Amino acid sequence: MALAFDEYGRPFIIVREQDQKTRLKGIDAQKANIAAGKAVARILRSSLGPKGMDKMLQGPDGDITISNDGATILEQMDVDNQIAKLMVELSRSQDYEIGDGTTGVVVMAGALLEQAERQLDRGIHPIRIAEGYEMASRVAVEHLQRISQKFEFDADNYESLVQTCMTTLSSKIVNRCKRSLAEIAVKAVLAVADLERKDVNLDLIKVEGKVGGKLEDTELIYGILVDKDMSHPQMPKQIADANIAILTCPFEPPKPKTKHKVDIDTVEKFETLRKQEQQYFDEMVQKCKDVGATLVICQWGFDDEANHLLMHRNLPAVRWVGGVELELIAIATGGRIVPRFQELTPEKLGKAGLVREKSFGTTKERMLYIEHCANSKAVTVFIRGGNKMMIEETKRSIHDALCVARNLIRNNSIVYGGGAAEISCSLAVDAAADKYPGVEQYAIRAFAEALDSVPMALAENSGLQPIETLSAVKSQQIKENIPFYGIDCNDVGTNDMREQNVFETLIGKQQQILLATQVVKMILKIDDVISPSEY
């Protein structure tokens, strides 16, 4: 440990407990960081594309997740290395901003790191590599803008939206029903979209799942689905033109808040108390009936006596409905959430065309459908599946498809999938490298090579000969100068992605390249890693 002395010759400490810390400096630090980043990318590389494999992750308390959504896999993986954590953050930011392409962005970053390692071995300074990558990413993003195509759609003609959502779903486990699920996703987004403002509020789309039934039974409900049933089995199962009172106050007599005891020593006293409670409750029910409510949805529970009285008074009720669901019901039915009985007025009731209780299979599973609401902005995607894993994975897939549809409404440009956009960018970046006289051109060429890793991974996962396939597609693009040729993963027999209808959103692709470059630049700029020693 090097000692430093001040002007009086007294030694002072620069790094505390330096002998107990492990420290990597200079090129070793960069190599170690690159190795960590590559390791994470290698895990996700095999789950890229329509033939990608899924990963099975077991949580600390034994719950299992099966997924091939990049962000989900990395979230569940317990990553210890700091650089690997950066990769997890990278996929998360892609997920937050775009919603899709979480695997691709990590694979891309891993490829860039791999190329950077080769450049470092040649003795090129990491900062020059980072600057070269920055220039190359700019070229690539501009090139994507050039080769992108706009397509027009409206509320009636949304085929192009469905095609793009199908591309997203084809790499997921649900790809056998991708057509119907893509249509559901697009219809859901269009139902809540404001096409003039090009804005979509995804909070209004609720995704519910129930085990049992098959994937094909998945449906879109123009309304709200609540995982509750009527509080009394003899209440009506179907209410047309319902006026709904949404309450957050308990439907029972108030409990005395004092510490005093009430001594009841005669039957008469007990009777009067009981009568009082019943009268109090009767008034509550009457109040609801007076304002014209035909259904009560309550955030709290009520006891059996209350339930019995409600049944007798023909006032169907639902109890224990969660706060989030209450809000959605209020938005959909145009009602107001009422905190006190005194404030109930006819204007505060929500309106729904049909409220029905539906039971599933032979079990006691029942759910409430609230449909044809006054304000039909809230919709629910209801997923069925064979087991819990399947439903969870379908929820994640639907989320990706919803995000893609939303991004297309915001910006309707698309590029071609199947690695076609990456190959085209790679060629453009390679051509641009000649314009730069400095050392950066090596880094720019390396960037072009890294772009090829995505189509290469697609070919590898599809069981094709990776290098052969890639060079064939690349030469085809160069020869005909058309950016539509990609990897034929599904073995359809054509490389033309227009014929295969494989599209991706432009903003998603641009974001992938920009985010991957940013993270790689950050990793390259780290030259000293100081960590406390292990116990």
Side-chain angles (χ1 to χ4, degrees):
M1 164 173 157
L3 274 177
F5 296 96
D6 61 7
E7 64 265 41
Y8 300 111
R10 289 177 305 207
F12 61 90
I13 295 171
I14 297 170
V15 180
R16 283 185 60 184
E17 295 160 357
Q18 191 167 332
D19 49 340
Q20 292 175 12
K21 289 190 163 49
T22 49
R23 186 164 178 182
L24 283 171
K25 280 194 216 162
I27 200 89
D28 291 341
Q30 272 134 0
K31 286 277 175 73
N33 292 344
I34 287 174
K38 272 164 51 183
V40 174
R42 208 173 300 127
I43 294 170
L44 286 191
R45 194 186 161 99
S46 61
S47 57
L48 186 73
K51 296 275 189 284
M53 294 296 187
D54 289 8
K55 307 277 178 260
M56 182 164 171
L57 300 142
Q58 189 169 5
D61 40 5
D63 49 341
I64 294 173
T65 311
I66 301 175
S67 179
N68 78 354
D69 178 56
T72 310
I73 294 169
L74 290 179
E75 290 272 302
Q76 303 281 344
M77 257 169 38
D78 198 10
V79 179
D80 199 27
N81 185 296
Q82 298 310 317
I83 298 296
K85 281 184 182 157
L86 282 180
M87 299 296 252
V88 177
E89 288 284 324
L90 165 71
S91 76
R92 193 184 299 156
S93 58
Q94 174 81 10
D95 199 29
Y96 284 168
E97 190 59 33
I98 304 294
D100 186 34
T102 46
T103 316
V105 72
V106 177
V107 171
M108 176 81 210
L112 286 172
L113 285 171
E114 204 169 314
Q115 292 295 334
E117 194 171 17
R118 290 181 196 168
Q119 305 293 320
L120 286 171
D121 289 344
R122 289 182 185 164
I124 298 176
H125 194 279
I127 292 297
R128 304 304 289 268
I129 301 175
E131 281 169 2
Y133 277 180
E134 181 65 34
M135 294 167 185
S137 71
R138 227 170 291 144
V139 173
V141 168
E142 281 166 19
H143 181 68
L144 279 175
Q145 188 74 47
R146 271 201 302 283
I147 62 168
S148 70
Q149 295 195 334
K150 286 215 178 303
F151 58 59
E152 297 310 317
F153 63 88
D154 50 51
D156 306 319
N157 174 25
Y158 46 76
E159 182 57 32
S160 44
L161 288 177
V162 174
Q163 297 287 5
T164 316
C165 285
M166 275 166 66
T167 304
T168 299
L169 291 172
S170 63
S171 68
K172 306 278 189 253
I173 201 166
V174 295
N175 56 5
R176 65 190 170 93
C177 316
K178 61 182 179 187
R179 172 86 216 183
S180 58
L181 287 177
E183 280 180 9
I184 285 176
V186 171
K187 282 177 184 161
V189 169
L190 286 174
V192 302
D194 186 336
L195 289 178
E196 272 130 44
R197 283 192 15 237
K198 292 195 168 187
D199 187 40
V200 180
N201 182 2
L202 284 182
D203 290 344
L204 293 177
I205 302 174
K206 193 158 163 255
V207 184
E208 280 280 344
K210 200 69 150 166
V211 176
K214 50 191 186 298
L215 244 183
E216 284 83 352
D217 297 341
T218 300
E219 55 180 336
L220 177 68
I221 296 152
Y222 289 98
I224 299 289
L225 193 61
V226 188
D227 195 357
K228 294 276 178 270
D229 50 1
M230 295 292 185
S231 59
H232 197 292
Q234 288 173 331
M235 285 176 180
K237 298 278 175 264
Q238 200 161 342
I239 305 166
D241 299 326
N243 293 332
I244 305 171
I246 306 167
L247 305 174
T248 55
C249 39
F251 222 130
E252 48 192 26
K255 307 276 182 288
K257 294 275 189 298
T258 56
K259 293 275 194 314
H260 303 305
K261 285 217 301 276
V262 180
D263 282 335
I264 299 175
D265 42 14
T266 62
V267 178
E268 285 78 24
K269 277 187 187 166
F270 181 74
E271 274 298 312
T272 43
L273 186 69
R274 200 187 68 80
K275 277 216 178 85
Q276 228 168 343
E277 282 199 349
Q278 187 172 348
Q279 182 195 352
Y280 183 86
F281 188 76
D282 266 352
E283 278 171 17
M284 278 183 177
V285 178
Q286 199 50 49
K287 205 163 246 147
C288 294
K289 298 282 274 189
D290 287 346
V291 292
T294 53
L295 171 66
V296 177
I297 292 180
C298 185
Q299 191 177 7
W300 305 103
F302 28 83
D303 49 23
D304 290 344
E305 189 184 0
N307 212 351
H308 170 80
L309 283 167
L310 282 169
M311 216 303 285
H312 268 285
R313 290 298 211 70
N314 291 337
L315 187 59
V318 184
R319 53 184 166 184
W320 297 122
V321 179
V324 182
E325 285 158 332
L326 271 187
E327 280 176 29
L328 271 171
I329 293 170
I331 292 171
T333 58
R336 299 282 293 278
I337 295 175
V338 181
R340 287 206 300 272
F341 277 99
Q342 289 77 19
E343 294 174 17
L344 252 181
T345 59
E347 295 81 60
K348 289 187 180 175
L349 296 181
K351 305 261 186 299
L354 181 65
V355 177
R356 60 196 172 98
E357 185 182 291
K358 189 175 172 184
S359 53
F360 298 103
T362 54
T363 55
K364 292 214 280 289
E365 297 274 316
R366 289 197 283 275
M367 288 178 111
L368 267 191
Y369 285 58
I370 300 173
E371 294 173 300
H372 311 304
C373 305
N375 169 18
S376 64
K377 274 285 189 195
V379 296
T380 306
V381 180
F382 182 46
I383 297 169
R384 304 302 306 275
N387 58 18
K388 194 158 157 275
M389 314 305 164
M390 187 73 193
I391 285 178
E392 290 303 314
E393 179 60 0
T394 310
K395 277 186 184 176
R396 287 189 280 270
S397 311
I398 287 271
H399 172 261
D400 281 11
L402 291 172
C403 290
V404 166
R406 184 195 79 173
N407 293 336
L408 283 175
I409 285 175
R410 283 185 170 173
N411 175 357
N412 60 352
S413 304
I414 50 163
V415 289
Y416 288 87
E422 280 91 350
I423 295 173
S424 181
C425 280
S426 165
L427 295 170
V429 171
D430 218 8
D434 301 337
K435 296 181 192 146
Y436 295 96
V439 183
E440 281 87 357
Q441 61 169 305
Y442 292 111
I444 294 174
R445 288 215 167 84
F447 192 94
E449 232 168 284
L451 278 167
D452 287 343
S453 70
V454 173
M456 189 99 106
L458 285 174
E460 226 167 274
N461 294 346
S462 309
L464 306 166
Q465 295 287 330
I467 296 175
E468 227 171 88
T469 317
L470 179 61
S471 43
V473 173
K474 214 165 183 177
S475 63
Q476 203 176 357
Q477 278 212 23
I478 296 171
K479 220 179 296 166
E480 302 181 26
N481 197 13
I482 297 179
F484 306 145
Y485 295 117
I487 306 285
D488 177 20
C489 296
N490 294 331
D491 231 5
V492 184
T494 167
N495 284 350
D496 193 339
M497 291 294 140
R498 280 175 307 181
E499 281 179 43
Q500 287 203 29
N501 289 327
V502 178
F503 309 123
E504 298 197 43
T505 53
L506 168 69
I507 42 179
K509 266 284 167 265
Q510 284 180 334
Q511 187 86 357
Q512 270 186 20
I513 290 178
L514 290 170
L515 285 178
T517 313
Q518 263 178 27
V519 167
V520 171
K521 273 179 65 183
M522 193 170 175
I523 292 174
L524 283 175
K525 283 188 174 176
I526 299 170
D527 78 326
D528 202 341
V529 182
I530 305 174
S531 46
S533 65
E534 306 298 322
Y535 293 113

